[in-house]
Amino acid sequence: MAEPYDDDAEMHAEWLEQARAFRVAEWRKRIPLSMRAKGELHVEVAAWVAGLVHDRSAANLLLVGPVGTGKTWSCWHAATVALEAGWPGAPDFYGAYEWRQLTTPPVNEPDLRDAARSDLLILDDPGAMRLGAWELEHLYGVIDYRWNHRLPTVITSNVPDLRGMLGERIASRLAANVAVVVLDGPDRRREGE
């Protein structure tokens, strides 16, 4: 005869698996069509994902490289792999345009606060649109909160000089605990031309 707690443990495990499957499915719906191609994560990005999954407090991740080398794709797929492996968080992805929309007056403070508190904040190429003092001030508030609470942030950039792009205060907080991965190679978008 099974102990009553055995059923509870099995039910809890089943619930956890259903919750994980739901988070993965919801995240996959958000992945743009152009980012759905299969592939392998760069070994250093995969190691960062393993840290996120197992330590629950991974370092920040900076993906640097020329245009078209897979930085954006790596962000989407790193989050997918983490969710599939059982990471219990919820990632949030902001491209340069979405970030501009978030910080353009009037600023939606609840949405900005959500970005600051996100389990994993992904900022894809924030330097693609010139960030003015207004946008940088709001980005600083988000990054400062995340730094203080040790929440992981992923940033992609074509330019390795974050200080020049984001300013000293933001760059310092991002660099405090960062894994830098350089992605190199030809522009994947132009392959086959």
Side-chain angles (χ1 to χ4, degrees):
M1 181 168 151
E3 294 292 322
Y5 296 110
D6 291 343
D7 289 342
D8 288 345
E10 287 175 22
M11 287 175 51
H12 182 69
E14 185 177 322
W15 178 85
L16 286 174
E17 176 53 29
Q18 288 173 355
R20 184 199 65 77
F22 177 79
R23 284 194 316 277
V24 170
E26 290 300 306
W27 176 252
R28 284 181 186 268
K29 288 179 192 175
R30 294 179 54 199
I31 299 175
L33 291 175
S34 61
M35 296 292 134
R36 292 185 182 178
K38 301 286 184 198
E40 293 294 319
L41 285 173
H42 184 285
V43 66
E44 292 177 66
V45 176
W48 179 86
V49 170
L52 178 67
V53 171
H54 299 296
D55 297 341
R56 307 268 195 257
S57 60
N60 293 327
L61 177 62
L62 173 61
L63 298 174
V64 182
V67 171
T69 55
K71 298 177 299 294
T72 303
W73 180 92
S74 294
C75 290
W76 285 105
H77 287 274
T80 303
V81 169
L83 290 167
E84 288 172 343
W87 177 65
D92 286 306
F93 187 100
Y94 292 91
Y97 177 77
E98 291 89 2
W99 188 257
R100 174 67 66 135
Q101 294 299 103
L102 185 64
T103 58
T104 297
V107 172
N108 184 325
E109 291 295 333
D111 285 351
L112 202 58
R113 194 171 23 261
D114 288 346
R117 294 177 178 166
S118 173
D119 296 322
L120 173 61
L121 178 63
I122 301 169
L123 295 175
D124 185 36
D125 208 3
M129 297 183 124
R130 292 185 189 227
L131 298 175
W134 177 267
E135 292 87 5
L136 287 172
E137 218 29 63
H138 287 85
L139 179 58
Y140 169 75
V142 168
I143 298 302
D144 185 56
Y145 180 91
R146 299 185 66 72
W147 178 75
N148 280 314
H149 292 88
R150 302 293 185 247
L151 296 170
T153 303
V154 177
I155 293 195
T156 70
S157 178
N158 299 330
V159 181
D161 178 23
L162 288 183
R163 282 178 172 69
M165 181 175 59
L166 302 175
E168 184 69 33
R169 296 182 311 159
I170 295 170
S172 173
R173 282 160 177 77
L174 289 171
N177 185 23
V178 68
V180 179
V181 178
V182 178
L183 300 179
D184 206 359
D187 185 339
R188 295 178 181 188
R189 293 182 199 108
R190 294 182 180 254
E191 286 181 359
E193 282 188 354

